Amino acid sequence: YQQKLIDYKKMRNINQDEKQLDRVSMRCVHGFMKWWKHVIGSMRPKRFELDRSQWATYSNFKEMYDALEEAMLECQIAQKLPQPTWMDKEGNVVQSEADAFGLP
């Protein structure tokens, strides 16, 4: 495609600088993105809250873990147990919370 671009530029007498013949200008990229914006999405970076207490809330973490659990079940990486169970680091079922690792 690079040769097609060079031929196109020479035919239309666009940017005859030899160093720039094989490159697409930012003006062309912006025009392309404007023309095809309904097909190609491009987002500008967004600023997020820098104060951890504003985003590190119980509801945000619960939502994240619920989505993670759903994805792991869907991919069959994990299986849902009939009732919450305490386990140690090796994955063995334990009877008390004191011997457990992580959440039920």
Side-chain angles (χ1 to χ4, degrees):
Y1 287 103
Q2 208 163 16
Q3 188 58 46
K4 286 184 178 184
L5 176 64
I6 292 170
D7 295 341
Y8 177 84
K9 283 184 164 185
K10 284 183 178 178
M11 184 174 67
R12 300 263 194 294
N13 202 18
I14 300 171
N15 198 0
Q16 292 296 322
D17 182 10
E18 288 296 322
K19 293 180 181 177
Q20 300 295 324
L21 272 179
D22 62 341
R23 297 190 179 125
V24 178
S25 68
M26 286 307 293
R27 182 177 172 194
C28 181
V29 171
H30 289 301
F32 180 86
M33 292 299 286
K34 184 178 179 183
W35 185 263
W36 292 99
K37 67 182 171 188
H38 65 286
V39 178
I40 301 172
S42 176
M43 287 181 42
R44 293 181 183 258
K46 296 180 181 176
R47 287 190 161 239
F48 290 101
E49 186 65 47
L50 296 178
D51 183 10
R52 186 176 293 170
S53 65
Q54 295 294 318
W55 58 265
T57 62
Y58 176 80
S59 61
N60 286 347
F61 276 93
K62 182 173 180 352
E63 183 179 334
M64 179 182 66
Y65 278 106
D66 288 347
L68 181 61
E69 177 185 16
E70 184 180 313
M72 291 175 72
L73 291 172
E74 185 179 312
C75 295
Q76 298 179 348
I77 296 171
Q79 61 181 357
K80 192 156 183 105
L81 298 174
Q83 60 183 354
T85 307
W86 293 105
M87 296 186 173
D88 62 9
K89 284 184 180 182
E90 287 78 37
N92 303 317
V93 176
V94 294
Q95 299 302 321
S96 71
E97 184 178 348
D99 299 330
F101 179 79
L103 300 173

